[in-house]
Amino acid sequence: MTGTEFEGRSSRVEARSMLALSGGHFAVDFASGSVPALIPFLTDRFQLGYALAALLLLAATISSSLVQPLFGLWSDRRGAVWLIPGGAIVAALGVGGAAVSPVYPLVLALVFVGGLGVAAFHPEGAKFAAYASGPKRASGMSYFNIGGNTGYALGAFATAQLVVWLGLVGGMLAMAPVVVAAVALARFMPRLSRLAERQGVSHAAQGEDRRGAMTLLGIVIALRSVAWFALLAFVPLWVVSRGHTKADGGRVLFLMLLAGAVGTLILGPVADRVGLRRTLVVTQAAVGPLVLVFVFVGGVAGLVALMLVGVCVVGTFGVTMVLSQLYLPRHVGIASGLSVGLAMGLGGVAAVVLGAVADTVDLQTALVISAAAPAIGVGFCLRLPAPIRRAQAPATSSRGVAVQVD
């Protein structure tokens, strides 16, 4: 077999692996995206205030985000490819059960369990996506993330429509595709195991971890997530408070998330071309003003602004994930858990605080406060150091060359 034939075959295997991983990401985040869509209906069913409604999102956030570094540690130390299909099935069972649970405490518990499935999938899935990405990591991660971002958007939309049509039992039926995807992923595990054997060595730890840089990046993500989680929790409720229906609220949320999915495909290649940090600074700076346009201008302009928030936040998920992996090259699983999980999860905690503000003052004030957080994050963005990527040396040499990338 010639080198060209081997490279062509390797490329096809990686493409199939990326397709499977992106499909799994779609399924897991479809379940995750269903939770915000269920909140207005559960709010009516259990007569919840804004704080208790946001607590549902917090339960999902704590389990799906804050514990992700623990699964990342597990991934780095032992490897656990079975977490990829296992996470999908747990997410489906948790969210589907929560939709039809008769009492609020049980809803909270099952939302928490569903979030654990989401947390289990992401670090291991992101590590394998790095194996399959090739040299253009931001573009590669965008293919992985487009599955999750599209799944989150469609999960929010489809679940809302099914619940409007069938009642809360529609939320349980919405999880059927996630179960099917989990079964398909389980059958694909041997291929991913072979990918790990072939690519894992070439992606072995190179360079030193830069914990200070990772801390700065975590602060940036957390501040950005304050605005994002506030919008996830309160956009449908804000739309309803303006005199529209719950279905309208679900559609507006869907458009924000769909725009984010499109932004993923745009900003990944842009970041590879103009630099990871430059892309992050510009998008971070835009989020706060766009939120204010949505709140104070409204109408078509407000909707467009909200969709651009989706582009700026969701579209850079892959950028921050790649940065985290470059800052912590010896702990790729933990890096993914920190960037996708812990840092973003802090935004979900802030959403509960903002829910209390909405209860005591009003929802508009809470949304305005949320817009200030990403503006503060711009200063931390500007302090991010250039990551160091180890370029491959020629085939005759076993050594790599360390280069800085923006």
Side-chain angles (χ1 to χ4, degrees):
M1 179 183 296
T2 67
T4 302
E5 290 171 343
F6 178 81
E7 290 173 2
R9 178 174 297 183
S10 175
S11 177
R12 289 197 298 271
V13 170
E14 289 176 11
R16 289 197 295 269
S17 298
M18 183 63 79
L19 181 62
L21 291 165
S22 185
H25 203 183
F26 176 97
V28 168
D29 281 6
F30 184 97
S32 184
S34 297
V35 175
L38 289 171
I39 287 176
F41 302 97
L42 294 170
T43 296
D44 279 354
R45 181 177 185 180
F46 298 110
Q47 298 298 303
L48 305 176
Y50 287 125
L52 287 178
L55 192 60
L56 290 170
L57 191 62
L58 176 63
T61 300
I62 289 175
S63 57
S64 67
S65 299
L66 297 184
V67 303
Q68 269 198 48
L70 297 179
F71 284 105
L73 180 63
W74 188 352
S75 172
D76 285 334
R77 288 188 174 180
R78 304 178 65 87
V81 68
W82 59 269
L83 288 175
I84 294 176
I89 192 67
V90 171
L93 294 177
V95 175
V100 296
S101 295
V103 293
Y104 178 74
L106 184 58
V107 172
L108 274 177
L110 286 171
V111 166
F112 186 88
V113 169
L116 288 177
V118 176
F121 172 89
H122 278 91
E124 192 75 1
K127 181 171 73 175
F128 275 83
Y131 291 163
S133 288
K136 293 188 176 181
R137 291 279 290 277
S139 296
M141 271 311 165
S142 74
Y143 300 136
F144 174 67
N145 281 317
I146 188 64
N149 297 337
T150 305
Y152 201 100
L154 290 179
F157 177 76
T159 300
Q161 300 310 307
L162 282 172
V163 174
V164 168
W165 179 33
L166 300 172
L168 281 164
V169 70
M172 181 178 68
L173 294 177
M175 294 301 104
V178 184
V179 175
V180 172
V183 174
L185 282 169
R187 299 185 63 182
F188 200 81
M189 286 306 96
R191 286 184 185 272
L192 290 183
S193 296
R194 290 194 292 272
L195 175 67
E197 292 172 1
R198 185 172 59 255
Q199 299 289 348
V201 173
S202 65
H203 285 75
Q206 295 179 341
E208 297 297 326
D209 288 345
R210 303 168 74 186
R211 297 181 181 180
M214 186 65 226
T215 299
L216 283 175
L217 180 61
I219 293 171
V220 170
I221 298 170
L223 289 170
R224 181 185 66 184
S225 298
V226 171
W228 181 244
F229 277 93
L231 293 173
L232 287 179
F234 300 134
V235 158
L237 297 174
W238 174 257
V239 171
V240 170
S241 75
R242 302 292 95 181
H244 301 283
T245 66
K246 295 185 182 70
D248 290 333
R251 283 189 283 269
V252 171
L253 183 65
F254 168 71
L255 288 174
M256 179 182 77
L257 295 168
L258 182 63
V262 174
T264 301
L265 291 179
I266 296 172
L267 293 182
V270 166
D272 277 327
R273 181 179 294 271
V274 307
L276 298 166
R277 293 183 302 164
R278 292 190 186 98
T279 304
L280 188 58
V281 168
V282 171
T283 54
Q284 183 91 6
V287 172
L290 289 170
V291 172
L292 295 179
V293 171
F294 168 69
V295 173
F296 290 108
V297 178
V300 175
L303 179 60
V304 171
L306 187 67
M307 293 172 69
L308 288 175
V309 171
V311 172
C312 291
V313 176
V314 180
T316 53
F317 283 176
V319 173
T320 54
M321 189 181 297
V322 172
L323 274 172
S324 70
Q325 292 174 348
L326 292 174
Y327 286 150
L328 298 180
R330 294 183 176 275
H331 298 91
V332 173
I334 292 178
S336 303
L338 287 172
S339 62
V340 180
L342 180 61
M344 286 197 66
L346 295 176
V349 175
V352 176
V353 176
L354 291 173
V357 171
D359 280 334
T360 56
V361 186
D362 56 41
L363 187 53
Q364 184 182 81
T365 301
L367 289 171
V368 170
I369 293 173
S370 75
I376 297 171
V378 174
F380 291 95
C381 270
L382 294 171
R383 295 177 58 194
L384 288 172
I388 297 174
R389 181 178 293 168
R390 186 164 294 271
Q392 292 297 319
T396 56
S397 171
S398 61
R399 295 178 295 176
V401 180
V403 295
Q404 281 196 332
V405 292
D406 199 349

